[in-house]
Amino acid sequence: MRKKLIAGNWKMNNDVEESLKLIKSLLTSELNEDVDVLICPAFTSLYPVIHELKNSSIKVGAQNMHFEDKGAFTGEVSPSMLKSLGVEYVIIGHSERRQHFGETDKIINKKIKACLKHGLKPILCVGESLEQREAGIEKETVRAQLIKDLDGVTDGLKIVVAYEPIWAIGTGKTATSHQANEMSSYIRAVLADIFTVDIADNILIQYGGSVKASNAKEIMEQSHIDGALVGGASLIADEFIKIINY
Ligand code: 13P
């Protein structure tokens, strides 16, 4: 049985004060116990947020990391640094990182392996652009990402996959629940090829892209969708709480 995972990817938003305010709103609200809740703040808010959540079931993740353990990589943060803070998940290969920071599938593959080596759970983001969908190559695009990003990865049960069509991120345009479920079902079939059917059946597949309170229920009810990776709506306490309590 796959337990749903609803994650807030705060992206480059919220200073420490704003982060703690949002966390306090979550802590003082009744949250759906059938769902695991995950918050992914900016690096600068990780420590205070983890401290604030230490007696709560809300989990904390990072939005990125380097694949090396340590060394001369100015400005980077290593997996062991995140692990020592109490971080549990790391978003890897978000389309914004692929697009603006030149992350290739090769780099993403190294990051996934580094996460697993350090006992961190990667949330691997995959998804096609509008041009790729319009050209009818969305499935092969996502398949190629999964195959390259998971090359040589053996611990399938420790990963989460987030299907985030680029054209639905921050645009207000959501994939229809049918489109999202169809792709998630396809992703599960590819994961079965990469790992085994049993492992693929137990991997969480999230949907991300303009998830909000008004569409969360329909998305979450799809048979192959096991949660959401929420951007903009996770910055508004009431909206995110409604998504969790869909
Ligand atoms: P939005 O929910 O703002 O569309 O962002 C989705 C996303 O990129 C989550 O990682």
Side-chain angles (χ1 to χ4, degrees):
M1 185 62 193
R2 304 188 298 263
K3 187 172 181 186
K4 297 227 186 303
L5 176 66
I6 297 185
N9 173 10
W10 289 356
K11 308 191 179 183
M12 198 174 70
N13 294 290
N14 290 335
D15 62 20
V16 171
E17 199 182 320
E18 290 160 337
S19 300
L20 292 176
K21 193 167 165 231
L22 200 40
I23 292 298
K24 282 197 182 106
S25 306
L26 295 178
L27 286 174
T28 50
S29 306
E30 288 237 0
L31 302 179
N32 185 352
E33 287 180 5
D34 295 334
V35 163
D36 280 327
V37 178
L38 170 67
I39 302 297
C40 301
F43 285 130
T44 46
S45 288
L46 279 173
Y47 184 74
V49 163
I50 287 171
H51 185 74
E52 196 68 21
L53 289 175
K54 67 177 182 297
N55 296 317
S56 127
S57 59
I58 300 177
K59 299 161 187 295
V60 181
Q63 299 172 16
N64 179 36
M65 58 166 219
H66 198 274
F67 51 79
E68 293 287 353
D69 280 356
K70 58 180 168 185
F73 299 101
T74 301
E76 292 293 320
V77 172
S78 79
S80 52
M81 289 169 186
L82 295 176
K83 186 73 188 171
S84 75
L85 270 186
V87 164
E88 203 177 327
Y89 291 83
V90 187
I91 298 172
I92 301 286
H94 191 281
S95 60
E96 287 152 15
R97 295 215 57 84
R98 294 180 191 252
Q99 210 176 327
H100 305 306
F101 301 97
E103 279 198 18
T104 60
D105 290 305
K106 209 169 183 159
I107 294 172
I108 291 164
N109 178 250
K110 285 187 185 176
K111 291 188 176 189
I112 298 275
K113 287 176 175 161
C115 266
L116 295 170
K117 181 175 153 206
H118 288 87
L120 294 160
K121 297 174 195 157
I123 299 181
L124 168 61
C125 299
V126 293
E128 80 286 359
S129 64
L130 185 59
E131 295 71 40
Q132 287 164 329
R133 180 159 281 265
E134 282 175 352
I137 56 165
E138 67 274 15
K139 284 191 176 144
E140 55 197 275
T141 301
V142 168
R143 182 184 181 86
Q145 288 172 336
L146 288 167
I147 288 175
K148 290 184 207 156
D149 299 346
L150 295 173
D151 182 43
V153 172
T154 50
D155 221 348
L157 289 175
K158 303 254 165 66
I159 64 163
V160 175
V161 175
Y163 169 54
E164 297 207 316
I166 298 170
W167 47 272
I169 296 177
T171 57
K173 248 194 210 175
T174 326
T176 64
S177 49
H178 175 74
Q179 282 172 323
N181 197 46
E182 195 189 1
M183 183 62 94
S184 301
S185 157
Y186 178 72
I187 288 172
R188 206 174 294 291
V190 177
L191 292 172
D193 288 346
I194 296 173
F195 302 109
T196 64
V197 172
D198 269 4
I199 290 177
D201 275 347
N202 285 291
I203 294 178
L204 299 185
I205 302 175
Q206 297 177 308
Y207 168 77
S210 300
V211 175
K212 39 191 182 272
S214 58
N215 59 24
K217 187 173 166 63
E218 191 183 336
I219 292 168
M220 237 62 83
E221 279 173 347
Q222 302 303 311
S223 56
H224 285 282
I225 299 180
D226 309 313
L229 188 52
V230 186
S234 73
L235 300 171
I236 307 159
D238 285 356
E239 186 77 7
F240 191 51
I241 291 163
K242 281 187 193 147
I243 293 172
I244 295 166
N245 293 336
Y246 70 92

